[in-house]
Amino acid sequence: MSESVNNPFEASHVDQPRDDVTGTVTPTLGPFSAGAIVAASMIGAGVYTTSGWTLADLGSPTLVVLAWAIGGAIAICGAICYGGLAQRFTESGGEYLFLARAVHPSAGMMAGWVSLLAGFAGAMAFAASTFESYLRETGWPALERLPERCIAIGLVLIAASVHSVGLHPGTRVQNAVVVMKFMMIGLFIMLALANLPNWEGFTGHADSGNQANSATPGGSIATVDTSHDPIDEAPAAPSPFASLLAFANALTWISLSYSGFNAAVYMTGEIKNPRRNVPRAMLYATLIVTVIYVALNAIFVFAPAAARVTAQPNVATAAAAAIGEQLTASGSGIGRYISPLVRIAILTGLATSVLALTQTGPRVYQKMASDGLLPSFLRGHLGDRHDGVGLNLRPAILTQAVLGCLVIGIATLRQQLDYLGLTLSVCAALCGALVFVVHRQDAPVLPRWAFPWVPVVYVFGTLMIATLTAVRVPVQGTVGLGTLSLGVIAYWLSRLLWGSRASGDRRN
């Protein structure tokens, strides 16, 4: 199948109706900005926090790296699926737009509700909370006097202020920080690989003979030292099903780190030549980030001794400290700079993640409000300077910031991780399955080599992970399913409160 100039997946050009409440939005973002949005959304809190808990659950650094590789493969399949959908539906709005236009408005509302509570507000809270955790590790006296969680709340409010100024100013700041983040991550990876002969994890695996797995009160499989226990008192190895559940739960956390692969679809209406640039931005950025993730997490779990990072939330800084000590011991003066470099890279990455979520999330609320499913003050409109709807989305930006601050105040990092990973997995699987609905022989959204195997891998993998995790962590599974159900209830409530378009219009 040949590739058209403006359409990499050869989807038909189906024009979608414009929102009459927002005027005509002139696309102004180029492919670099689209890719930067994806990269900024992906490289956030998860990659710097997940592997410590994953190593405790799986007991093997090799399995941790394998889980990240599998998560990347699933995310790449997802990027291809979303790229096909983005060519069929060329407005901003993401999952809400796809499901509302192709299935039913109630399905779109369910996805939009998940975006409101988990996809953006929850993910933003997770990134901001991790930012505070890493910043407090510096031990600065001034930070110790600040109340807990106020730094995370402050970061959310700063991001809201940046993007309230307008689309272009906020994008320029975000692009610059993303470039700086990639430079620092690349430098750290090169230094760590140059120190490969000194890595300690190859001989200090968490699954060595001196350690065994035991269940923690939270239901995870932790690693404990049994070197001094009598042999006949050693706990039995976990069953294959328990190991499968642990691996699925690890993939759920990892899938959250990859969840930003679809970020460009929330901004489709503001990206130039979206049928070409949006799919390519998602695919290329996801490929690059997957390579970075696998490299980083191999460093995190193999460079230091396993005991140093197992079950630790700040695994990245622990690994960086170990690498710095190894370099110093080998006579390299650069070792003392490793920890500060990584900490700055982490804080920069987390800040860009919050910035990206603050930019993309309000576009979903704007689209839902335009369809009459949310209050009209969230609709937004073009300003006098014609700087895109971002200029006049301050109510939506503020609403998301308030929700993010609430999540920061009520949930711990690990609770946020379980809830976000499971809930977003279910919603993403629904959109992946949507490819089977819109893909036709006369108007394909995916090339022959990708259909049907790519959406099958994405949907099956995502649903399997979510199902096994719900079995293992039933409380978070119940909360996640409750969030999905509330979306359907909210749809009918919105029709009652704010009215709707004609019932014959699939948009609402």
Side-chain angles (χ1 to χ4, degrees), residues 54-124:
T54 304
L55 183 59
D57 279 14
L58 302 183
S60 167
T62 302
L63 288 179
V64 173
V65 177
L66 176 63
W68 280 96
I70 292 175
I74 294 174
I76 291 168
C77 291
I80 296 172
C81 293
Y82 272 76
L85 294 174
Q87 293 174 79
R88 182 61 58 87
F89 305 101
T90 56
E91 299 174 81
S92 301
E95 291 91 351
Y96 162 73
L97 178 78
F98 299 156
L99 292 172
R101 301 296 193 261
V103 181
H104 189 272
S106 61
M109 183 64 174
M110 179 184 67
W113 190 257
V114 170
S115 296
L116 184 70
L117 296 181
F120 296 106
M124 183 171 62

Side-chain angles (χ1 to χ4, degrees), residues 474-488:
V475 173
Q476 300 298 341
T478 302
V479 174
L481 292 177
T483 301
L484 296 171
S485 301
L486 284 174
V488 178

Side-chain angles (χ1 to χ4, degrees), residues 27-53:
T28 56
L29 299 180
F32 178 81
S33 294
I37 291 170
V38 176
S41 300
M42 292 182 74
I43 304 180
V47 68
Y48 301 122
T49 59
T50 301
S51 286
W53 292 321

Side-chain angles (χ1 to χ4, degrees), residues 88-353:
R88 182 61 58 87
F89 305 101
T90 56
E91 299 174 81
S92 301
E95 291 91 351
Y96 162 73
L97 178 78
F98 299 156
L99 292 172
R101 301 296 193 261
V103 181
H104 189 272
S106 61
M109 183 64 174
M110 179 184 67
W113 190 257
V114 170
S115 296
L116 184 70
L117 296 181
F120 296 106
M124 183 171 62
F126 180 56
S129 298
T130 307
F131 180 92
E132 175 169 342
S133 175
Y134 274 105
L135 189 60
R136 287 188 181 276
E137 270 194 350
T138 60
W140 294 343
L143 298 178
E144 296 176 359
R145 293 192 292 267
L146 295 176
E148 290 291 328
R149 309 190 183 188
C150 73
I151 297 174
I153 292 174
L155 177 60
V156 169
L157 296 178
I158 290 173
S161 300
V162 169
H163 283 298
S164 292
V165 175
L167 177 63
H168 284 302
T171 300
R172 282 193 291 268
V173 171
Q174 184 168 287
N175 288 352
V177 180
V178 167
V179 171
M180 187 187 344
K181 170 174 67 175
F182 272 103
M183 292 175 63
M184 288 187 289
I185 290 175
L187 179 59
F188 169 68
I189 291 175
M190 288 189 295
L191 291 173
L193 292 178
N195 186 54
L196 181 63
N198 297 320
W199 286 10
E200 302 172 5
F202 292 112
T203 56
H205 288 180
D207 56 348
S208 64
N210 291 336
Q211 293 177 324
N213 293 324
S214 64
T216 66
S220 62
I221 301 173
T223 304
V224 296
D225 188 29
T226 60
S227 57
H228 302 292
D229 292 340
I231 295 177
D232 58 348
E233 295 180 9
S239 67
F241 184 67
S243 298
L244 181 62
L245 289 181
F247 196 81
N249 200 50
L251 282 175
T252 303
W253 298 342
I254 290 170
S255 70
L256 176 61
S257 300
Y258 283 105
S259 63
F261 74 81
N262 59 354
V265 299
Y266 303 111
M267 306 281 294
T268 300
E270 298 170 81
I271 297 173
K272 299 175 184 177
N273 195 2
R275 291 187 174 93
R276 176 186 177 90
N277 290 335
V278 171
R280 293 190 176 192
M282 290 190 293
L283 180 58
Y284 296 159
T286 304
L287 285 169
I288 293 172
V289 171
T290 297
V291 173
I292 291 174
Y293 275 1
V294 172
L296 280 177
N297 284 280
I299 294 169
F300 293 162
V301 297
F302 278 112
R308 191 163 182 171
V309 292
T310 300
Q312 296 301 313
N314 297 341
V315 60
T317 50
I323 293 172
E325 292 168 4
Q326 294 164 8
L327 287 171
T328 301
S330 64
S332 174
I334 201 172
R336 65 178 181 271
Y337 299 110
I338 297 295
S339 287
L341 171 68
V342 170
R343 192 174 300 279
I344 294 173
I346 292 171
L347 293 174
T348 303
L350 293 170
T352 58
S353 181

